[in-house]
Amino acid sequence: MFRQDLLKDKVIIITGGGSGLGRSMGERFLELGAKLAITSRNTDKLTTAASEMTAAKGGEVFTVGCDVRDPEAVEAMIDAVWDHYGTVDILINNAAGNFISPTERLSHRAVDAVLGIVLHGTFYCTLALGKKWIAAGRGGQCLNIVTTYAWTGSGYVVPSAAAKAGVLALTRSLAVEWAHHGIRMNAIAPGPFPTAGAWERLAPTPELAQEALNRVPLKRVGEHSELANLAAYMLADEASYINGECITIDGGEWLYGGGQFSQLDKLPAEAWDLLAAMTKRAK
Ligand code: HXC
Ligand code: NAP
């Protein structure tokens, strides 16, 4: 789909880059010539992921442990990557925390856990790196991974919905404010892409996993490579006029949820003959 040198020598930090979609994006970026830094809380997971990623794709993957809820740890992480590679070009704010729960069952600590990772963590990483880019008089790019309920909202994942909405507002706000520094801010809103992290917390039974599939008009989940290719496209220099945009990649899922008659896809074909006879009588 792309030139093999599309991201050649771009230094890319991926938060939560040791698992799931962060790792899949990282592997694609390595294929396209990028130099990676992956960061999250579990350093054993990061080390294993880095050696597997370089064994499979080549290139270099630097690892730094960091809890994105801790602003000082975030600054140290950004400094460590900058010192290691001599610069940073791109930040992927991908780390997240989430689980399904009726909201009235949540403690304030549960709310803080999700908002801390998703909203504060994204803000801290963006701020720490943005300050360095501005001080160095150079531009950069942030790509924030949100989801479609950032604008629709969703019950049962309310801290995540509130946090992702905040990340989308951050994306659009800084796309304007920091454009004159040459800093580009965009977002991707994925629909269902199976990962262990998400499925264990959001679809822990086969029935819930099937429900997730039923909402997608294309009747399939996303392939990690599809998301990774969209991210690579958005990061490329050739896409540098895209700023402040959020691109949805969900097989039509969120529009299905919004269409008042979308659920009619559950009717058997024979029912439509009867319904046609009934609705035609209405003239
Ligand atoms: C209710 C819960 C809970 C649950 C934790 N808590 N899990 N409450 N239901 N399932 C509560 C705890 O009881 C505690 O409150 C508080 O939350 C903090 O829990 P800890 O385990 O101490 O927190 P921590 O170790 O910081 O873990 C954070 C976490 C965890 C978010 C709770 O799940 C995690 O580490 N997640 C990271 C990976 C992840 O979530 N990946 C999925 C991303 S998918 P009390 O009061 O008891 O102290 C995604 C998809 C979006 O974002 C869109 C999909 C379409
Ligand atoms: P995942 O594998 O669980 O990814 C979450 C990552 O975040 C993990 O690597 C985790 O690593 C890291 N992380 C969690 N808390 C952290 C913290 N406090 N500090 C630093 N890192 C932390 O789940 P995923 O499905 O790939 O999700 C990736 C992104 O896609 C998320 O932003 C998610 O909201 C978004 N998304 C996913 C889907 C989907 O269907 N999968 C749909 C829409 C949006 P550690 O545990 O080592 O910290």
Side-chain angles (χ1 to χ4, degrees), residues 1-2 6-7 25 28-29 32 92 141 143 145 184 186-191 193 223-236 239 242 245-250:
M1 189 169 182
F2 301 120
L6 191 79
L7 301 175
M25 284 188 280
R28 184 67 177 123
F29 301 160
L32 296 169
I92 313 286
Q141 279 195 68
L143 180 62
I145 309 303
R184 206 148 68 83
N186 288 299
I188 290 179
F193 284 78
E223 301 281 343
H224 285 211
S225 61
E226 293 173 313
L227 182 99
N229 280 324
L230 173 60
Y233 171 81
M234 293 173 80
L235 298 180
I242 300 177
E245 190 52 87
C246 176
I247 299 188
T248 299
I249 177 165
D250 74 342

Side-chain angles (χ1 to χ4, degrees), residues 25-129:
M25 284 188 280
E27 290 182 353
R28 184 67 177 123
F29 301 160
L30 284 176
E31 287 175 347
L32 296 169
K35 297 174 179 169
L36 289 192
I38 58 174
T39 183
S40 74
R41 297 165 299 180
N42 182 337
T43 48
D44 290 342
K45 184 171 88 177
L46 291 177
T47 309
T48 306
S51 56
E52 289 173 1
M53 290 163 82
T54 47
K57 307 292 177 187
E60 183 176 355
V61 181
F62 181 66
T63 64
V64 203
C66 171
D67 187 327
V68 295
R69 291 173 287 194
D70 175 348
E72 286 170 7
V74 165
E75 284 178 18
M77 177 273 289
I78 300 278
D79 285 345
V81 181
W82 195 290
D83 290 347
H84 180 78
Y85 283 119
T87 192
V88 175
D89 297 293
I90 292 162
L91 168 66
I92 313 286
N93 282 305
N94 166 80
N98 198 6
F99 48 80
I100 46 171
S101 174
T103 305
E104 67 275 17
R105 291 173 61 110
L106 297 175
S107 70
H108 62 84
R109 284 174 294 273
V111 174
D112 286 353
V114 175
L115 281 161
I117 301 167
V118 177
L119 181 56
H120 289 82
T122 299
F123 211 134
Y124 295 154
C125 292
T126 304
L127 189 59
L129 187 53

